[in-house]
Amino acid sequence: MFLIFGLLSHWAACVWGWVGNPDNFGLSSSWRDISSCSMGGPCEFGLAGSPWLYRYGFIDNYDVTTQYLAALQFTAALMTGGEVSMQASTPLERLFTILVMICSIFISSVVVGQILLIMDRQSEASMAFDEQMQQSREFMVARRVPLNLQVRVYRYLESQ
């Protein structure tokens, strides 16, 4: 499960990085003055703006590894319901965010379903064992099996 979560987070982070790159949409990184940005905050105020790599000052200030880690943090937070430090601004970013949220609900429900399935199987196995022990107890009492042999049979059944 953790491997699947890690793989999905990686893919989502790569897509988020592509969506946030202004060069993919014909925008140059110099179309706005990045000196007006504050560290850790968005460059523009308002609902719609530039792609996130530019908006948060990642284009010229950080290397690709830092950009990837920021994207991975964002997508992992989206998938787990954690605190999201960045906000989507462009329509494509918003669409991507919505799709990741919907996928995370599906993934979470699958994980919870698998956990419940495992717990149900454990419960069924426990009930089958209790039924087997009850039947063997009734059989040995009805046949008047000696007590020391009954103890040995119970120990054998418990060790299986």
Side-chain angles (χ1 to χ4, degrees), residues 29-38 43-44 54-55 60:
S29 61
S30 61
W31 66 290
R32 292 206 185 191
D33 183 19
I34 200 161
S35 63
S36 65
C37 298
S38 61
C43 289
E44 63 258 340
Y54 177 78
R55 188 172 62 254
D60 296 325

Side-chain angles (χ1 to χ4, degrees), residues 25-156:
F25 303 102
L27 303 173
S28 69
S29 61
S30 61
W31 66 290
R32 292 206 185 191
D33 183 19
I34 200 161
S35 63
S36 65
C37 298
S38 61
M39 291 302 284
C43 289
E44 63 258 340
F45 302 98
L47 202 52
S50 58
W52 73 270
L53 281 171
Y54 177 78
R55 188 172 62 254
Y56 288 97
F58 280 95
I59 291 290
D60 296 325
N61 297 333
Y62 298 102
D63 62 343
V64 175
T65 304
T66 305
Q67 293 173 10
Y68 170 75
L69 291 175
L72 187 62
Q73 177 188 7
F74 175 77
T75 56
L78 276 180
M79 288 186 181
T80 60
E83 182 180 347
V84 180
S85 58
M86 291 185 275
Q87 298 296 321
S89 179
T90 64
L92 188 58
E93 287 177 358
R94 291 178 192 277
L95 179 65
F96 174 77
T97 303
I98 291 168
L99 289 175
V100 169
M101 287 178 177
I102 290 170
C103 289
S104 71
I105 290 171
F106 174 73
I107 291 168
S108 297
S109 63
V110 167
V111 168
V112 169
Q114 290 296 320
I115 291 171
L116 290 175
L117 182 65
I118 291 169
M119 290 173 61
D120 187 49
R121 287 182 183 163
Q122 288 291 333
S123 177
E124 286 178 6
S126 176
M127 287 175 30
F129 174 75
D130 290 343
E131 180 68 25
Q132 183 183 21
M133 290 296 283
Q134 182 64 29
Q135 287 176 353
S136 62
R137 187 175 299 115
E138 289 172 1
F139 176 81
M140 287 189 276
V141 168
R143 303 292 192 275
R144 295 188 181 122
V145 176
L147 190 58
N148 63 350
L149 184 56
Q150 285 183 24
V151 170
R152 288 174 51 195
V153 169
Y154 292 146
R155 285 184 186 162
Y156 173 76

